[in-house]
Amino acid sequence: MFSPLKRLLRGLNAGGLSLQRQLLLWLLLPQLVLWIAGGFATYRLAAGYANRAIDDSLSQATRALARQIKPMENGLLIDFPRAAQDVLEADPDDRIYYMVSTPPGQFILGSRTLPQPPALQEPRLNVPYFYDGRMADDASSPRPAQPVRVAALYLSYATEDSPRQLMLVQVARSSANREELARSILVDTLLPLSALIVLMTMIVWAGIRAGLAPLARLRGEVESRAPTDLAPLHIEQAPRELQSLARALNELLGAARRNVAAQKRFIGDAAHQLRTPLAGLKSQTELALQGCADAELRSRLERVHQSATRSAHLVNQLLTLARAEPESALVQDRSAFDLRQLARELTAELVPRALRAGVDLGLDPALEEDGDAVPVRANALLLREALSNLIDNAIRYAGRGSEVTVRVRREGGQAVAEVEDNGPGIPAAERERVFERFVRGTTTGDGCGLGLAIVKEIIERHAGQVELADGAVGGLRVVVRLPLDAGAAA
């Protein structure tokens, strides 16, 4: 009955990521996108700053070089000593290239391979133009062309023998340093940003875990419950949304609990009301059978007596189920006793019944030689009913001429009780179903399909387990495991 509620909470994880991971994913994805966008913007900004710094240096270099060129009466005087050229070309990784041409495009001094500036109709004088290009060291060099940043400065000059004309001064610098500077700025910016994002991710992860902790506690409380546990859920210090969910679930559980209680009361009341008339019916049929000489009437009375006996057995089973419910005071009333002694007494009581059914019932002699007690803490009446049902089932269904053996022993920290027969047994595929109410493992016999259901109910109420297995020589072996009484075992 509690399974749909468990499936409801497990649905948070069904079909994909958990709620915790979904929240983390939705929080981290925007951070990742912003981190990538921030890195791209930082690189563009760093490249702009690097270009500005290089452009400033190139602008100064072009003006400095232009100042070394002076017009004379019959031409130009270029005061550019060899030592200054060597200084400009000294660093092979950051070489500075230059070229002077007049008119523009007609080489006078410097590197012939400098890329020309974009074509301009009327270039502005004394204002540097900046552009990117590629150039090789010289025309015959095997090295590929390298990217460079170029500054171009147009100047106007005139001599006494020539009219005013244009002169172009170009200074270029490798772009490698610019890119390296941009990368350095990018790395220096993104490393602290990445550390902050990692730290923020850890804080967000911790916050999500803390925020979803009440939901995890609610899920744990539901999953740890038995299917019949309909007690209210207790969620303290939880968010209002989760408290609303818990209240709704508690209302659902309360309604289910009231319905189950009403059904149990009806079954208990009906069983009590039927018990007395059925007992009277059995007594009257027994008396009638004793004084009946008519064979046909006697046959009918025997069938009535069998039906009354079976109905009385069903009523007794229903009453036992009612007593085994968790809310019953009988379940809570427990005491310590020797399970082996209980099995010994119960087996002795049922021997006459087994003899009438043609079944050899007894305790395992090998285990009887071990006189140690097997202490358990349980309700003796309910546990007696459970073992009685197991032995009764074996007597009913094993068949005439079969053997039923009862064993009780210690096994680690558990008390183990076994009832084994060499009858037809139950197919392995049906062994789980026979623990359900009103399900029988065979069509023979006069059982009502409640015996094993009662055993399972009683044993589970005492924190134990019951299972069906194959017997040593065929048939069926029912194994009951209960925790040993810690105080008595010590």
Side-chain angles (χ1 to χ4, degrees):
M1 184 169 296
F2 212 63
S3 299
L5 180 57
K6 291 184 177 181
R7 288 196 297 269
L8 173 65
L9 291 180
R10 288 199 186 103
L12 292 172
N13 291 336
L17 297 175
S18 66
L19 180 60
Q20 180 173 320
R21 293 185 179 178
Q22 289 183 36
L23 289 175
L24 183 65
L25 185 62
W26 281 107
L27 289 172
L28 291 184
L29 275 179
Q31 294 183 35
L32 180 61
V33 172
L34 291 176
W35 182 80
I36 295 174
F40 179 75
T42 300
Y43 182 78
R44 293 293 300 270
L45 186 63
Y49 280 117
N51 276 342
R52 188 180 303 173
I54 292 176
D55 290 349
D56 289 343
S57 65
L58 290 177
S59 176
Q60 295 176 6
T62 54
R63 293 184 184 281
L65 181 58
R67 286 196 293 270
Q68 307 303 318
I69 303 174
K70 301 175 182 178
M72 298 181 61
E73 295 179 358
N74 56 353
L76 295 173
L77 173 63
I78 301 176
D79 186 11
F80 196 50
R82 184 62 185 175
Q85 299 180 35
D86 293 339
V87 169
L88 291 176
E89 301 175 358
D91 187 356
D93 297 327
D94 190 18
R95 295 185 60 182
I96 295 179
Y97 307 91
Y98 57 91
M99 185 176 78
V100 179
S101 57
T102 182
Q106 299 296 322
F107 175 78
I108 295 180
L109 177 69
S111 301
R112 295 178 179 272
T113 57
L114 266 180
Q116 293 298 313
L120 298 173
Q121 293 293 334
E122 295 183 0
R124 292 178 297 174
L125 302 180
N126 296 317
V127 177
Y129 291 90
F130 302 99
Y131 59 95
D132 293 314
R134 303 184 69 87
M135 65 169 291
D137 290 341
D138 54 63
S140 61
S141 174
R143 293 176 58 186
Q146 301 295 321
V148 291
R149 183 72 171 173
V150 186
L153 182 65
Y154 289 93
L155 300 173
S156 174
Y157 76 96
T159 61
E160 296 178 358
D161 300 333
S162 63
R164 182 169 296 277
Q165 55 184 321
L166 287 178
M167 177 176 61
L168 175 62
V169 178
Q170 295 171 272
V171 177
R173 191 172 185 177
S174 173
S175 297
N177 282 353
R178 178 190 63 179
E179 295 176 358
E180 182 179 354
L181 178 60
R183 284 194 298 267
S184 298
I185 296 175
L186 176 65
V187 170
D188 292 343
T189 304
L190 287 187
L191 279 180
L193 183 61
S194 302
L196 287 175
I197 289 179
V198 170
L199 179 60
M200 184 167 59
T201 300
M202 295 173 63
I203 295 174
V204 168
W205 175 260
I208 291 175
R209 288 178 61 89
L212 295 180
L215 185 60
R217 289 197 298 271
L218 175 61
R219 177 183 174 185
E221 183 177 348
V222 171
E223 291 185 340
S224 62
R225 290 189 172 202
T228 56
D229 187 0
L230 299 178
L233 300 170
H234 298 287
I235 299 296
E236 299 177 355
Q237 298 180 352
R240 283 181 297 177
E241 295 81 3
L242 190 56
Q243 290 179 356
S244 301
L245 174 61
R247 283 195 296 270
L249 293 177
N250 284 337
E251 291 177 1
L252 176 63
L253 293 176
R257 187 167 58 252
R258 290 189 293 272
N259 290 336
V260 171
Q263 293 176 7
K264 291 176 182 176
R265 284 194 302 271
F266 172 77
I267 292 173
D269 294 343
H272 276 294
Q273 293 296 325
L274 290 172
R275 195 173 190 180
T276 300
L278 286 173
L281 181 61
K282 284 182 62 179
S283 300
Q284 293 299 320
T285 53
E286 288 174 357
L287 291 174
L289 285 170
Q290 291 177 6
C292 181
D294 188 344
E296 183 178 354
L297 182 58
R298 186 177 183 85
S299 174
R300 292 180 179 178
L301 286 173
E302 286 178 349
R303 287 197 293 270
V304 172
H305 182 71
Q306 290 174 359
S307 298
T309 302
R310 182 171 180 178
S311 298
H313 179 65
L314 173 60
V315 168
N316 289 331
Q317 297 285 57
L318 290 174
L319 287 174
T320 303
L321 271 177
R323 290 196 299 267
E325 293 297 339
E327 298 84 359
S328 172
L330 198 58
V331 174
Q332 311 301 327
D333 183 15
R334 303 186 183 188
S335 59
F337 58 90
D338 183 5
L339 183 61
R340 175 171 288 171
Q341 181 62 30
L342 176 64
R344 187 182 293 114
E345 294 173 358
L346 189 57
T347 303
E349 291 178 9
L350 293 175
V351 164
R353 172 180 167 78
L355 291 176
R356 288 194 300 269
V359 175
D360 181 10
L361 172 64
L363 292 169
D364 189 343
L367 294 177
E368 278 300 292
E369 296 176 359
D370 179 12
D372 291 343
V374 182
V376 295
R377 179 169 291 276
N379 182 276
L381 182 61
L382 289 179
L383 208 55
R384 182 186 184 87
E385 186 69 29
L387 291 179
S388 176
N389 271 307
L390 292 180
I391 300 174
D392 180 72
N393 275 359
I395 294 173
R396 286 175 184 271
Y397 301 112
R400 300 188 69 86
S402 60
E403 296 180 358
V404 177
T405 304
V406 180
R407 304 184 183 92
V408 177
R409 68 179 185 277
R410 293 188 183 204
E411 191 175 281
Q414 292 182 323
V416 180
E418 294 182 357
V419 178
E420 182 178 356
D421 65 70
N422 59 354
I426 299 176
E430 299 291 327
R431 289 177 184 173
E432 288 297 326
R433 291 189 66 248
V434 295
F435 285 111
E436 299 176 9
R437 299 179 182 184
F438 301 105
V439 175
R440 300 177 61 195
T442 178
T443 57
T444 62
D446 57 352
C448 56
L450 284 175
L452 288 177
I454 291 173
V455 172
K456 182 179 176 65
E457 191 81 19
I458 293 174
I459 298 303
E460 288 185 347
R461 295 285 76 79
H462 291 83
Q465 302 92 33
V466 58
E467 60 184 14
L468 304 182
D470 294 325
V473 291
L476 185 68
R477 180 165 57 95
V478 185
V479 183
V480 172
R481 301 179 186 274
L482 291 167
L484 284 171
D485 181 24

